[in-house]
Amino acid sequence: MEIRPAVKADVIEMCGPEMKVTVRAYAIEDNGELLAVAGIAYGKRTVCFGDIKQSVKRSPRSILRLARKVTALVDKCKGPVFAFPDENEPTAERFLAHVGFEKLDGGVYVWR
């Protein structure tokens, strides 16, 4: 599995065309198949986002390598960066805490 900078087409494929803000992200690709995109969306709030296909979960090491690259981007941000855990992913909150986000009231996470 290869981790590379994401391009606009990657973000649209994984997250949909509704993301109309500036994005810096990375992608996981395996044999030409896009498996994950994660990064930062700069809008009214700076938000960390990610979308991962089930098939990438067979490689937790790749997910952690992707998370390290994204948290390096988050570290460079001025001001707070927010994250919203996926309600359909039972380990989302634990993963956000593991990589360094702090839980706020209402289920929102922040990186200060």
Side-chain angles (χ1 to χ4, degrees), residues 7-65:
V7 296
K8 184 176 182 178
D10 297 331
V11 176
I12 290 171
E13 181 180 333
M14 293 293 294
C15 303
E18 63 276 353
M19 198 174 257
K20 299 195 186 292
V21 294
T22 301
V23 170
R24 289 192 64 201
Y26 290 96
I28 296 178
E29 185 177 71
D30 189 30
N31 295 321
E33 180 186 1
L34 183 62
L35 299 176
V37 171
I40 301 172
Y42 302 93
K44 291 180 182 177
R45 292 187 200 167
T46 305
V47 177
C48 186
F49 70 93
D51 196 354
I52 297 173
K53 291 183 180 178
Q54 288 292 86
S55 59
V56 81
K57 291 183 179 183
R58 64 178 154 60
S59 180
R61 183 177 282 165
S62 294
I63 294 170
L64 287 174
R65 285 181 30 231

Side-chain angles (χ1 to χ4, degrees), residues 57 85-86 88-97:
K57 291 183 179 183
D86 183 347
N88 298 318
E89 180 57 54
T91 62
E93 289 192 30
R94 187 174 59 203
F95 185 76
L96 286 172

